[in-house]
Amino acid sequence: AEVPMESADQLSRLMRSAHARRHTEVTGANDTSSRSHAVFMFKLQTGGRSGRLMLCDLAGTERSKDSMYHNKERQQEGAQINASLHVLKECMRAVCDNRRP
């Protein structure tokens, strides 16, 4: 969703709200492994100039040798995260190229 920002305080509140929705789980590699993606795209404008800044918090997954001790649910989650990372990569490339995926 596109949300115009009028102040740094408004942006800070939005970022805190997004952080509260972040999903994490304990894994073999990390006590708070991110299991969800967050992408923030900022369009900055000043005078006649503009630019874009993209911040990404991507879900993490462990190497297969680290996840072999996980239960089936956690292994499936890791596979889904890897697949979604591939799709997200293609979407980001499309955005950077100003084209649709």
Side-chain angles (χ1 to χ4, degrees):
E2 187 172 311
V3 181
M5 294 287 122
E6 300 295 327
S7 68
D9 186 54
Q10 188 179 12
L11 175 60
S12 181
R13 285 193 309 270
L14 179 66
M15 297 291 278
R16 281 194 303 273
S17 173
H19 182 73
R21 292 184 178 115
R22 186 173 169 254
H23 181 73
T24 62
E25 290 287 341
V26 174
T27 66
N30 192 337
D31 287 343
T32 55
S33 181
S34 181
R35 309 318 273 173
S36 59
H37 305 311
V39 178
F40 294 92
M41 291 177 41
F42 298 91
K43 183 176 180 183
L44 309 171
Q45 296 178 310
T46 180
R49 300 174 65 187
S50 67
R52 279 193 243 175
L53 172 65
M54 189 179 299
L55 301 177
C56 303
D57 175 16
L58 303 178
T61 188
E62 294 72 48
R63 297 172 293 177
S64 58
K65 77 173 196 166
D66 292 336
S67 64
M68 67 185 192
Y69 301 109
H70 291 169
N71 63 29
K72 187 175 181 174
E73 179 184 351
R74 187 69 64 236
Q75 288 176 349
Q76 288 175 336
E77 184 180 65
Q80 290 171 342
I81 287 171
N82 280 343
S84 67
L85 286 171
H86 175 73
V87 171
L88 181 59
K89 175 187 74 171
E90 293 305 315
C91 289
M92 291 174 69
R93 282 183 176 166
V95 166
C96 291
D97 292 343
N98 284 323
R99 60 182 169 81
R100 294 180 75 97

